[in-house]
Amino acid sequence: MVAVFFGVALLRLNISQVENFLQDVALRNGWVTVSVTRIPAAGNGGETDADQTSEIVLPEKPLDSAGLPSKLTPTEKTVTNPAISEMPEPPVASQISGNGALTREGVINATNGERQANLGAGFSLAENNQLDIAAANKVKDMFSGQYFEHLSPAGKDVSYFVGQAGYEYIIIGENLALGDYESDADLVKAWMDSPGHRENILKPGYKEIGVAVGFGIYKGRKTWLAVQEFGTPKSACPEVNRELSAAIDAGKKAMDQFSERQSLLLAKINEEKARAAALEKELNDLIAARASQGAIKTKYEELNAAINAANLAVGDYNRAATQIKPVYDAYKIDIGRYNSQVNAYNACADAFE
């Protein structure tokens, strides 16, 4: 959690003329205040001018940015049909030679025919080259790894193959088939006879499709593998500004760095303040004991040095706070804009479920 604090500190140097000794030494509201005027020189009744008052004014109550909202995440949805067993494997047809019994174009046309028949006009899927590539790579991987699952033995799922093909999506889905089919229409009919696969084919939220079919050796015999990749591209919803997202990340990094430095700076201020408070007590004890003017003056100088050191630490803190303040203000504005964009995107994406 980011915690960024800001404060305003002032170094005050007041000139006054007050007779005799120290008139006021006190801690008030977190400030160490020392007033000194005309301390008589030791032993001869003379006087020396020391008419300055120094104050430590610590930062105001810090502003904690921990309550600032974090970046929202755009929705990504993956739909698969893990129950492959729903789809019975057709009987082996030895006359099927793999010389074109299944085709990408035919599977896509048969799929769109089912969507038009069941959903009506306007629901056909557009072929997408990146989804075609993802489907082809899935077929190749299943033959190579001798598996028939949505999740490969290496842990690669549909999002991996689609991502490798460069397809940025709102929602994606996948259908798989294994066996010997007499035609593209027979393959799509087999999918339609399986409730889970049918749901993918008829899902209104999908806008694009990629298909690959392959004939090869699986578990010791020649057969077909077929893959459908369904998707709706990110471009279907309002864009989320990536440059704005990067600016927010950079701002958060800068505030995290300030937060780490801030702890050190505040610790230094508190250390010097505590030292000044201890010296103030020693000074008061000397005054109460009517110690020599030399001893009082020396203690006063030590106290004023501690006050100055504290004010230097406050100055370091304020310079750091001044530098981070515009970053903090920009972060609040940018993250509000970005989260509004993400909300709009997610509302749009939800409509494709």
Side-chain angles (χ1 to χ4, degrees):
M1 181 177 292
V2 180
V4 178
F5 304 126
F6 303 114
V8 177
L10 300 174
L11 172 61
R12 298 184 180 180
L13 189 61
N14 298 329
I15 306 300
S16 64
Q17 291 187 348
V18 181
E19 299 207 356
N20 297 322
F21 292 98
L22 294 165
Q23 300 296 315
D24 181 34
V25 180
L27 282 168
R28 295 194 181 91
N29 300 319
W31 302 355
V32 178
T33 302
V34 179
S35 300
V36 179
T37 87
R38 294 174 33 164
I39 299 177
N44 60 8
E47 295 179 345
T48 59
D49 290 330
D51 13 327
Q52 70 174 9
T53 298
S54 298
E55 298 177 349
I56 299 175
V57 183
L58 295 181
E60 294 179 352
K61 183 178 180 181
L63 175 60
D64 188 348
S65 70
L68 284 177
S70 300
K71 282 170 56 179
L72 299 177
T73 303
T75 298
E76 287 187 354
K77 305 176 188 300
T78 303
V79 177
T80 59
N81 290 306
I84 293 176
S85 59
E86 289 180 356
M87 184 173 181
E89 188 176 321
V92 176
S94 57
Q95 71 273 21
I96 300 297
S97 64
N99 293 326
L102 296 181
T103 67
R104 183 182 71 252
E105 296 85 354
V107 173
I108 291 174
N109 288 338
T111 299
N112 278 331
E114 293 290 350
R115 287 176 69 89
Q116 291 171 9
N118 288 274
L119 301 176
F123 284 93
S124 292
L125 299 171
E127 183 177 5
N128 180 278
N129 182 61
Q130 292 171 318
L131 291 179
D132 282 341
I133 292 172
N137 288 338
K138 176 68 174 180
V139 168
K140 181 179 178 180
D141 198 62
M142 286 193 294
F143 272 125
S144 175
Q146 292 292 286
Y147 71 94
F148 182 57
E149 299 287 345
H150 290 291
L151 185 66
S152 78
K156 301 173 183 177
D157 61 6
V158 58
S159 63
Y160 170 83
F161 291 101
V162 167
Q164 287 293 103
Y167 188 79
E168 295 187 337
Y169 61 89
I170 293 171
I171 185 171
I172 54 171
E174 181 177 80
N175 279 347
L176 305 178
L178 165 69
D180 298 325
Y181 299 90
E182 293 184 359
S183 67
D184 300 319
D186 287 337
L187 168 60
V188 173
K189 181 179 184 303
W191 271 327
M192 288 293 290
D193 289 341
S194 165
H197 298 83
R198 175 188 177 90
E199 181 181 348
N200 257 357
I201 289 174
L202 299 183
K203 192 174 188 63
Y206 291 136
K207 301 299 179 186
E208 297 177 335
I209 189 173
V211 168
V213 295
F215 190 77
I217 302 296
Y218 179 77
K219 303 289 178 148
R221 71 177 181 87
K222 291 184 177 181
T223 189
W224 286 93
L225 283 174
V227 176
Q228 287 178 313
E229 305 288 24
F230 303 94
T232 298
K234 277 191 174 181
S235 59
C237 284
E239 182 182 6
V240 177
N241 192 315
R242 295 183 180 182
E243 291 182 359
L244 184 59
S245 177
I248 291 169
D249 291 341
K252 183 179 183 298
K253 181 178 179 181
M255 289 192 294
D256 285 343
Q257 291 173 342
F258 172 77
S259 181
E260 294 174 2
R261 187 183 176 198
Q262 169 188 261
S263 298
L264 298 175
L265 292 171
L266 289 176
K268 179 65 174 176
I269 291 171
N270 289 331
E271 178 186 344
E272 296 297 343
K273 180 183 173 183
R275 190 162 72 93
L279 288 169
E280 177 206 20
K281 182 179 183 305
E282 293 174 11
L283 180 60
N284 280 335
D285 291 342
L286 289 173
I287 294 170
R290 294 193 172 276
S292 69
Q293 295 297 309
I296 292 175
K297 182 177 180 181
T298 297
K299 189 59 65 177
Y300 157 74
E301 289 171 349
E302 291 177 11
L303 175 57
N304 224 32
I307 292 171
N308 289 337
N311 281 332
L312 288 174
V314 168
D316 289 341
Y317 175 90
N318 281 342
R319 278 187 291 274
T322 299
Q323 292 171 357
I324 202 65
K325 185 66 162 62
V327 177
Y328 174 86
D329 291 339
Y331 180 89
K332 289 194 297 183
I333 295 171
D334 288 348
I335 204 166
R337 290 169 53 206
Y338 179 82
N339 285 348
S340 293
Q341 293 176 8
V342 172
N343 284 329
Y345 175 89
N346 286 346
C348 172
D350 289 341
F352 293 105
E353 289 189 1

